[in-house]
Structures are given as structure tokens and as C-alpha cells.
Amino acid sequence: MERTLVLIKPDAIQRGLVGRIISRFEDKGLKLVGIKFMTLGDQLLNEHYSHLLDKPFFPGTRSFMQSTPVVAICWEGLDCVDAVRRLCGVTKAREAAPGTIRGDLAMSVQANLVHASDSIETAATEVKRFFDDSELFGYSSSMTGAVYSSDEIDG
Ligand code: IDP
Ligand code: MG
């Protein structure tokens, strides 16, 4: 099954939304395989947001992302990279669809509560960037058989 990276950003930490945001992913049926609270150094952020390095807003985004620790989470599920992106909603939160995390809980472009990997390739790179192998846990989840039909998870 796929794995993807989610970061719960400093605006969510400041607003006390961490538990509610994690619940949205749990409610969806995603399996928690890694979670930690961490501060993001310049080098890690420059790699993580390398596609934004030359944008005029990037210094502001970097200092926003360093304004508190963030919660890094690795979720697992069938086609979960796409499912998690959809659950987060579009970048500009005030335009994000109702029902999404950004659509329901945020208004800003920068302070949009969550990061989620944007492709299968990016997810693999980002999970490795934020987690050591020893911080990711494979275990049998009793939820799996209820969340999926057997033809989806067998073979
Ligand atoms: P994404 O988080 O939806 O994948 P990206 O384009 O990868 O969006 O941008 C990464 C993050 O950089 C955004 O979530 C947001 O916090 C910030 N950001 C993107 N575009 C802008 C902008 O135009 N102004 C301010 N911050 C921005
Ligand atoms: Mg992105």
C-alpha cells in the first residue's frame, strides 16, 4: 500500500487544531505508521520546498514553517497519496472545497494548516526525508478489513 507524508503546520499548532486534523485522517480510514513533533532546519526546508526557492514569498514561508515545531505524520492506505491531497484541499485555503481540511478550517494561502505529498514519487522522497526507517511501524491493523473490501486488499 502507498505511504504519504503529512505535516501539520505552525498555524494548526497555534490554533490548537492538531487533534482535529489528525482525526480527519483517522476518520478517513488511513493507517498511522509514523508520527513525531519536530523543528525544521533551513536545510530540510530548502530541500522540502526546493520548488519554491526562487519565489518572493519563500523567505516568509520558511520563517512561518520554523515559527513552531510541526507534527510530521506518515499515513498508509490504498492510493493514499491522492486521497490525502483531496482531503486537504487546494493550496489557497479560502478557495478550498467545503469538506476538506483547508476548506473547513482555514482562509490563507500560506497558513493552510497542512502539507501533503503531491505524487507517489514525491511521497517516497518526503517520507524518507522526514523519517528514519526505525521511526516507521508496520503492524497488523484490525481496521483494514473493515475499511476495505477483500478484493481491494488481497493480492
Ligand atoms: P501545496 O502545499 O498545496 O502543495 P505548494 O505550491 O507546494 O502548495 O506550496 C507549498 C506551500 O508554500 C503552501 O502550502 C503555502 O504554505 C506556501 N505558499 C505557496 N504559494 C504561496 C504564495 O503565493 N504565497 C504565500 N505562501 C505560499
Ligand atoms: Mg506542494
Side-chain angles (χ1 to χ4, degrees):
M1 282 210 195
E2 283 177 21
R3 290 180 172 183
T4 195
L5 177 81
V6 164
L7 301 177
I8 302 182
K9 295 184 179 183
D11 52 325
I13 309 297
Q14 295 286 12
R15 293 175 58 195
L17 293 174
V18 172
R20 287 172 66 185
I21 290 171
I22 291 174
S23 290
R24 299 292 292 264
F25 295 109
E26 288 184 325
D27 289 351
K28 178 74 170 161
L30 293 156
K31 179 177 168 184
L32 183 67
V33 298
I35 184 165
K36 61 180 171 178
F37 202 34
M38 62 191 293
T39 52
L40 305 181
D42 286 346
Q43 192 184 330
L44 184 70
L45 269 174
N46 290 353
E47 283 173 24
H48 179 64
Y49 281 145
S50 60
H51 60 300
L52 302 178
L53 283 180
D54 57 358
K55 302 282 188 197
F57 60 80
F58 180 68
T61 300
R62 190 171 55 198
S63 76
F64 163 67
M65 291 296 290
Q66 294 178 324
S67 62
T68 71
V70 302
V71 181
I73 305 177
C74 179
W75 295 110
E76 185 177 275
L78 197 61
D79 302 330
C80 79
V81 174
D82 189 48
V84 164
R85 283 286 286 191
R86 288 168 185 275
L87 190 52
C88 290
V90 298
T91 309
K92 189 175 181 180
R94 56 186 173 276
E95 292 180 359
T100 64
I101 292 168
R102 288 167 170 172
D104 286 350
L105 299 172
M107 285 295 284
S108 170
V109 177
Q110 178 172 266
N112 57 10
L113 301 173
V114 279
H115 164 83
S117 306
D118 64 8
S119 71
I120 292 174
E121 297 72 33
T122 312
T125 307
E126 292 185 346
V127 168
K128 266 198 169 54
R129 179 176 293 136
F130 283 83
F131 289 95
D132 291 335
D133 285 346
S134 64
E135 296 172 319
L136 298 171
F137 298 91
Y139 58 95
S140 153
S141 166
S142 55
M143 198 173 69
T144 306
V147 168
Y148 301 99
S149 64
S150 53
D151 64 311
E152 289 173 310
I153 51 176
D154 289 347

